[in-house]
Amino acid sequence: MKQKLIFTNLVGETLDTLVDSLGTPQVVIVADTNTAGLVLPLLVNDSATAAAARVITVSAGDENKNLDGLTSLWQQLQQLEATRATVVVNLGGGMVSDMGGFAAATYKRGMRCINIPTTVLAAVDASVGGKTGINFNGLKNQLGSFTEPEAAIISSIYFNTLPQQQILSGYAEMLKHGLLEDRATLGKLLTYSPVYPLTDTEALLPLIEASVGVKARIVEEDMTESGIRKALNLGHTCGHAIESLAVSRGAAVPHGYAVAWGLVVALVLSHLQAGFGTDTLHKVSDYVLRNYGAYNITCDDYPALIAAMRQDKKNRSADSISFTLLEDVGRPRIDCTVSPEQIGAALDIYRDLMHIA
């Protein structure tokens, strides 16, 4: 993996040094409306590069990660007379790094970019590995590219600008990485509770670094998701379907919360199909219920959830639904074909574990 991963809470100083090493090109910062107000002033105070940069502000919210938002980004880059030598700095959460990264990958056939994630979720997921893209036609991440950024500057200093919900949303991806790694890593995560306000952001940085390490090792082995990288989709097949259902209900849920609930469904399927242990299944489901609550579904919702799963980009054909499952912690099984009947049974058990009547 060519992407530089820099773990530090000296973000401004690191950005200045990194841009200087690139020949001090024109810099354009892409930030959403929340980050522009809460985080950008802090970065500008610490970085001469940020203070001198031009800023493009995009509307916050994953619902704005679409063709209209991307087109607006391209238009503003053109108005700023950006060139292929310009460096885009994506300052924000996953929505910003996804859409800003896609804009950089396609404008002038490719510009360099640097990700500075400001959320836990972006730090451990979206800012690392080179996946960029936008939602299309009501479905998540349908258009995009695999284009690695020049670097990601990963810190924990901005997390207290987040509400508790957003901290927990990112922590769900860390739980996923722990399940893919080993029991020791998972155990540390299940005994830690990221409660807002974070009194010691430094203490979270090593946990984030370890989590990113899991993803980075997998991405380095399989950049284009043709093999083992599919393990990173653990929890996402059902999680994305829950997100789509929530949007159709007019009450969107945070991505990480949907992943947390999707992890429970995936572990139930893992138990049914691959013998995953019930002890770990109950520990994870209890942690999810305690911290994330439950997403209420009934049998009447199963057809919509399964229809959304059929649209998942990991599926190998229109007639199959593919899941990443686990034989045990640290032992993923990719490309598992699961029938609608098996999904229905897993959703029944999910409702029992989540105490949904």
Side-chain angles (χ1 to χ4, degrees):
M1 187 168 67
K2 67 179 182 180
Q3 176 184 358
K4 300 182 184 74
L5 298 176
I6 305 168
F7 297 90
T8 178
N9 280 338
L10 300 175
V11 178
E13 177 182 317
T14 303
L15 177 62
D16 290 347
T17 300
L18 186 56
V19 170
D20 283 345
S21 73
L22 298 176
T24 59
Q26 177 195 32
V27 173
V28 174
I29 294 176
V30 177
D32 69 21
T33 46
N34 292 332
T35 307
L38 295 171
V39 178
L40 183 58
L42 302 177
L43 181 61
V44 166
N45 189 59
D46 293 337
S47 165
T49 298
R54 307 295 294 273
V55 177
I56 295 175
T57 303
V58 299
S59 298
D62 198 68
E63 66 275 12
N64 295 303
K65 193 179 75 174
N66 53 31
L67 274 175
D68 288 340
L70 180 64
T71 299
S72 176
L73 252 179
W74 282 330
Q75 289 171 337
Q76 291 182 75
L77 286 169
Q78 190 173 61
Q79 289 166 7
L80 293 174
E81 299 182 342
T83 71
R84 293 185 69 181
T86 300
V87 173
V88 171
V89 175
N90 295 313
L91 180 71
M95 178 268 196
V96 171
S97 58
D98 279 356
M99 189 164 70
F102 192 27
T106 50
Y107 184 77
K108 303 287 188 182
R109 295 183 177 167
M111 309 160 67
R112 293 171 295 183
C113 73
I114 297 168
N115 289 335
I116 303 180
T118 61
T119 68
V120 181
L121 181 58
V124 300
D125 185 38
S127 67
V128 178
K131 277 188 180 181
T132 71
I134 59 170
N135 306 329
F136 179 67
N137 204 26
L139 297 171
K140 285 189 61 72
N141 301 327
Q142 295 292 294
L143 305 177
S145 69
F146 289 97
T147 308
E148 285 192 284
E150 185 74 21
I153 303 172
I154 299 173
S155 77
S156 56
I157 59 172
Y158 301 130
F159 293 162
N160 273 330
T161 66
L162 304 171
Q164 176 73 48
Q165 187 182 65
Q166 290 302 313
I167 295 173
L168 281 168
S169 187
Y171 203 75
E173 289 287 342
M174 296 173 69
L175 290 175
K176 179 195 75 176
H177 292 154
L179 284 162
L180 293 172
E181 184 71 347
D182 53 41
R183 290 188 177 278
T185 301
L186 179 63
K188 290 177 183 177
L189 292 168
L190 291 177
T191 56
Y192 182 85
S193 182
V195 178
Y196 177 88
L198 300 172
T199 56
D200 184 5
T201 56
E202 290 287 346
L204 189 54
L205 193 57
L207 292 175
I208 290 171
E209 185 170 357
S211 186
V212 172
V214 176
K215 179 172 184 178
R217 288 193 297 274
I218 292 174
V219 169
E220 188 168 12
E221 184 176 343
D222 178 22
M223 175 64 189
T224 58
E225 204 172 31
S226 57
I228 191 59
R229 184 169 180 167
K230 295 177 184 179
L232 293 171
N233 290 307
L234 181 68
H236 283 63
T237 299
C238 185
H240 283 160
I242 289 172
E243 285 187 272
S244 296
L245 177 63
V247 169
S248 73
R249 290 175 170 179
V253 297
H255 172 71
Y257 278 60
V259 168
W261 299 318
L263 283 173
V264 175
V265 175
L267 293 185
V268 171
L269 284 168
S270 296
H271 171 67
L272 296 175
Q273 287 207 5
F276 187 85
T278 56
D279 181 59
T280 305
L281 167 59
H282 282 283
K283 286 180 180 178
V284 173
S285 62
D286 288 347
Y287 186 93
V288 169
L289 180 60
R290 190 166 63 250
N291 288 279
Y292 298 87
Y295 189 74
N296 285 299
I297 57 172
T298 69
C299 296
D300 293 338
D301 296 314
Y302 293 5
L305 288 168
I306 291 170
M309 292 179 204
R310 289 191 187 279
Q311 296 294 326
D312 194 285
K313 58 187 179 297
K314 299 183 298 299
N315 294 333
R316 290 175 290 179
S317 75
D319 299 324
S320 67
I321 300 175
S322 295
F323 274 75
T324 291
L325 302 178
L326 293 176
E327 297 175 9
D328 197 355
V329 177
R331 293 173 58 191
R333 183 188 289 182
I334 63 173
D335 292 329
C336 298
T337 299
V338 181
S339 70
E341 293 75 20
Q342 290 168 323
I343 294 170
L347 292 173
D348 285 340
I349 297 171
Y350 159 85
R351 289 167 60 205
D352 287 340
L353 292 169
M354 297 289 103
H355 302 164
I356 300 172

